[in-house]
């Protein structure tokens, strides 16, 4: 079972775990076989894909990977996905399920931690970094990166985030994902930004950059 | 470094020195105590099964 497992995790809610998990999975699926595991009982990612199936049935444009629900057994779902796919992307829940996040990280090859450009999100991410440290006791090879999501290049705070992240003991990925309407529009339509065509072009380019940065360091 | 960068970096220090959160070890059950009925005993919603052949969210909740 040598599938490459990437977790999207942050105990802080609303930082973009689900949005990035789904779009990264869609980007990776253009090259490799990808399974998605929804380890969040809120089930936003399952809903996104199920909605897409319903909405886009007629067009046949359904290139979103299948989602396995983690339910009470996210590790079992990861193992099942890993048997059938080369790559597995796991959407982790926010803080109430810290134990779930830790168990997923003990099984993952890499974790990407989205952080919004705001002091509150910066502070809260310190806790997630601590969970990465704990998971590395069982999984010393776990790679981890911070990624600023919803960056606003015109904002001084967004620009200051790069330097501030250096205080978190984990490397930043080296690129950022900007705040873009395309990421929300994709959810409304039940698709990834790749399927938005021209409207999603810049967002898709950013997701490609993230994929390149991660896979270069595999 | 700009003043804002300095301030943001400095503001992280107290968060970093907070005691490390303790996640329950992997072998222990993870059902949250907040739920009066443990998740395992609650009837699983249809969408919670990972069988790819059944609709995950049979009810459409998106507004028209
Ligand atoms: N780069 C982006 N640009 C614009 N909107 C975004 C971006 N990333 C995420 N969003 C929006 O921000 C909100 C939170 O994103 P998302 O649900 O993916 O976060 P999450 O970390 O999975 O949240 P939770 O912790 O509740 O599971 C959503 O409304 C989403 O559409
Ligand atoms: Mg989510």
């Amino acid at each position: 079972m040598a599938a490459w497992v990437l977790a999207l995790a942050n105990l802080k809610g609303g930082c973009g775990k689900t949005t990035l998990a789904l779009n990264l999975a869609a980007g990776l699926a253009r090259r490799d076989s990808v399974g998605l595991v929804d380890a969040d009982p809120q089930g936003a990612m399952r809903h996104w894909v199920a909605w897409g199936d319903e909405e886009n049935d007629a067009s046949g444009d359904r290139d979103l990977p299948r989602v396995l629900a983690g339910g009470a057994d996210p590790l079992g779902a990861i193992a099942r996905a890993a048997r059938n796919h080369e790559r597995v992307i796991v959407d982790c829940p926010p803080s109430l399920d810290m134990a779930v996040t830790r168990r997923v990280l003990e099984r993952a090859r890499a974790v990407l931690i989205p952080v919004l450009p705001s002091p509150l999100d910066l502070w809260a991410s310190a806790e997630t970094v601590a969970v990465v440290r704990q998971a590395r006791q069982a999984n010393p090879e776990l790679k981890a990166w911070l990624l600023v999501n919803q960056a606003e290049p015109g904002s001084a705070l967004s620009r200051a985030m790069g330097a501030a992240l250096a205080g978190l003991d984990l490397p930043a990925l080296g690129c950022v994902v900007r705040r873009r309407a395309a990421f929300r529009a994709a959810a409304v339509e039940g698709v990834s930004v790749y399927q938005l065509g021209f409207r999603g072009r810049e967002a898709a380019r950013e997701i490609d950059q993230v994929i390149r940065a991660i896979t270069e360091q595999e | 470094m700009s003043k804002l960068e300095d301030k943001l970096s400095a503001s992280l220090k107290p968060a970093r020195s907070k005691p490390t959160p303790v996640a329950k070890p992997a072998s222990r059950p993870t059902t949250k105590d907040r739920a009066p009925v443990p998740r395992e005993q609650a009837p699983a919603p249809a969408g919670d099964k990972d069988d790819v052949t059944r609709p995950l969210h049979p009810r459409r909740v998106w507004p028209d």
Side-chain angles (χ1 to χ4, degrees):
Chain A
M1 187 168 76
W4 180 86
V5 178
L6 171 72
L8 274 290
N10 193 333
L11 304 179
K12 182 83 167 71
C15 58
K17 298 178 285 292
T18 302
T19 302
L20 295 174
L22 188 126
N23 285 292
L24 287 169
L28 285 162
R30 292 162 8 127
R31 268 195 345 219
D32 301 319
S33 145
V34 180
L36 267 167
V37 172
D38 192 346
D40 185 352
Q42 288 178 107
M45 198 167 63
R46 274 171 287 160
H47 185 88
W48 189 332
V49 173
W51 165 240
D53 282 350
E54 198 174 313
E55 181 70 357
N56 303 309
D57 222 16
S59 70
D61 187 12
R62 299 167 58 176
D63 69 356
L64 291 186
R66 299 290 84 197
V67 182
L68 284 183
D73 181 22
L75 291 190
I78 293 172
R80 281 196 299 284
R83 277 197 290 276
N84 297 319
H85 301 284
E86 294 159 283
R87 298 184 183 273
V88 178
I89 309 292
V90 188
D91 183 23
C92 290
S95 69
L96 278 173
D97 287 289
M98 178 188 291
V100 172
T101 297
R102 177 171 169 180
R103 286 191 302 154
V104 170
L105 297 193
E106 286 175 351
R107 169 64 188 83
R109 191 84 64 85
V111 56
L112 190 57
I113 303 168
V115 185
L116 296 185
S118 142
L120 278 73
D121 290 77
L122 179 70
W123 305 336
S125 298
E127 258 191 358
T128 307
V129 172
V131 174
V132 171
R133 215 176 295 128
Q134 289 172 6
R136 278 180 170 163
Q137 289 165 15
N139 180 13
E141 303 294 305
L142 175 69
K143 293 212 164 86
W145 304 278
L146 303 157
L147 171 67
V148 175
N149 180 35
Q150 299 211 36
E152 294 166 299
S155 130
L157 196 52
S158 276
R159 290 197 302 271
M161 278 299 281
L165 286 185
L168 276 176
D169 295 336
L170 288 180
L173 194 58
C175 49
V176 301
V177 174
R178 281 169 65 164
R179 181 179 166 94
R180 293 182 188 279
F183 285 106
R184 294 172 190 193
V188 174
E189 296 180 27
V191 298
S192 74
V193 291
Y194 292 92
Q195 292 155 289
L196 289 180
F198 185 77
R199 281 182 300 152
R201 199 183 47 165
E202 291 304 312
R205 197 182 45 76
E206 281 182 340
I207 296 293
D208 282 339
Q209 253 176 18
V210 172
I211 289 174
R212 214 172 307 123
I214 291 173
T215 52
E216 266 168 13
Q217 299 180 53
E218 252 174 60
Chain B
M1 250 201 202
S2 73
K3 255 191 165 159
L4 182 61
E5 275 179 8
D6 286 344
K7 209 168 228 178
L8 195 58
S9 299
S11 75
L12 179 59
K13 290 202 181 93
R16 289 191 48 189
S17 55
K18 272 199 326 197
T20 306
V22 184
K24 290 175 213 154
S27 54
R28 283 179 40 198
T30 58
T31 310
K32 264 73 70 249
D33 336 272
R34 68 194 152 100
V37 183
R39 194 186 304 279
E40 289 89 336
Q41 284 165 28
D48 230 11
K49 300 269 184 289
D50 60 42
D51 183 348
V52 292
T53 60
R54 58 198 298 172
L56 291 167
H57 281 263
R59 269 176 302 113
R60 176 172 170 182
V61 297
W62 219 269
D64 275 313

